[in-house]
């Protein structure tokens, strides 16, 4: 059992991907995104994965007035972009060195950020601390959205549901369509894709419930358990790279 679990932890965030591994990792990340998004909203009234809303909010309040809202929105969008850029830098650094943890490195960094945030956020007493909260959470969401995009070849998103709900509607339309024209290929639905998308939207929703309930009960500490789960899920390939590096250094020259 231990060997089986060890092999699984080496592969679920490893470089050799399968549709099953992609779905399992995406499910965890969708739940994580729902929790983080909900905690951000309950704590500071900002959906930190919702770049469409933040961008619209900046535009609206530039006209209506509200410097704090504009600043918060600009910070959130900038932090999200910075998180995606950080993901690309770390991923390409690992890919160029043929690291097993090319994906997992990003997830470990995300898990550590969420863990530290969950442990330390309550201690921050600065009167504008909501800006720190928005910056950290949006940066994390940017990293997560970028890494699952790379892992799945842009087929899966986990930090927002607009695209997934759109794809669910497309698949339902394909299911409902009756092909009547002879000589043309039929419209072929993808029940597996429909099930995957429905699962991810459902997990994002469940994460939102858990995040709101957890924050109301214990504050930012509600993020700690999920951060630990993400860290365990992603740590295997990183640990394997560390061991490989240590073995390489211990070999005698020549």
């Amino acid at each position: 059992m231990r060997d089986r679990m060890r092999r699984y932890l080496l592969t679920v965030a490893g470089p050799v991907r399968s549709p099953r591994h992609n779905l399992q990792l995406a499910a965890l990340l969708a739940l994580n995104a729902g929790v983080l998004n909900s905690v951000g909203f309950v704590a500071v009234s900002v959906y930190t994965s919702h770049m469409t809303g933040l961008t619209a909010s900046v535009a609206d309040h530039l006209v209506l007035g509200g410097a704090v809202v504009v600043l918060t929105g600009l910070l959130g969008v900038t932090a999200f972009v910075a998180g995606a850029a950080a993901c690309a830098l770390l991923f390409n650094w690992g890919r160029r060195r043929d690291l097993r943890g090319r994906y997992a490195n990003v997830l470990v960094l995300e898990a550590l950020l969420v863990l530290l945030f969950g442990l330390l956020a309550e201690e921050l007493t600065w009167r504008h601390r909501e800006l720190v909260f928005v910056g950290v959470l949006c940066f994390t969401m940017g990293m997560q959205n970028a890494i699952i995009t790379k892992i799945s070849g842009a087929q899966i998103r986990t930090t927002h549901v607009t695209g997934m709900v759109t794809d669910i509607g497309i698949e339902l339309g394909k299911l409902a369509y009756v092909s009547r024209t002879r000589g043309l290929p039929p419209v072929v639905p993808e029940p597996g894709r429909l099930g995957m998308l429905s699962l991810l939207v459902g997990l994002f929703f469940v994460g939102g419930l858990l995040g709101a309930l957890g924050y109301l009960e214990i504050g930012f500490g509600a993020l700690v358990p999920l951060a630990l789960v993400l860290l365990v899920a992603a740590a295997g390939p990183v640990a394997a790279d560390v061991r490989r590096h240590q073995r390489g250094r211990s070999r005698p020259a020549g």
Side-chain angles (χ1 to χ4, degrees), residues 149-162:
T149 299
K150 286 188 170 295
I151 287 173
S152 68
Q155 295 300 306
I156 300 174
R157 300 287 196 275
T158 59
T159 63
H160 57 279
V161 301
T162 303

Side-chain angles (χ1 to χ4, degrees), residues 4 13-14 19 26 47 52 73 83 85 95 99 117 121 124 127 129 163 171 192 204 209 214 220 222-223 243 246:
R4 185 176 180 182
Y47 285 123
T52 303
R95 182 173 60 87
L99 296 183
F117 184 76
L124 185 61
R127 64 192 183 96
R129 67 178 193 159
E171 291 302 326
F204 188 94
L209 292 176
F220 288 105
L223 298 175
R243 289 193 296 269
Q246 290 174 339

Side-chain angles (χ1 to χ4, degrees), residues 11-12 14-25 151-152 156:
T11 56
V12 68
V16 180
R17 310 300 305 165
S18 70
R20 180 171 65 90
H21 288 139
N22 286 349
L23 176 58
Q24 291 168 348
L25 188 58
I151 287 173
S152 68
I156 300 174

Side-chain angles (χ1 to χ4, degrees), residues 66-114:
V68 173
V69 176
V70 171
L71 177 61
T72 301
L74 289 174
L75 173 64
V77 173
T78 302
F80 192 97
V81 172
C87 166
L89 287 169
L90 190 54
F91 168 77
N92 285 304
W93 176 84
R95 182 173 60 87
R96 289 294 182 94
R97 287 157 179 78
D98 196 30
L99 296 183
R100 194 164 188 169
R102 65 193 68 169
Y103 299 120
N105 287 334
V106 179
L107 298 175
V108 167
L109 178 58
E110 177 186 351
L112 292 174
L113 281 174
V114 174

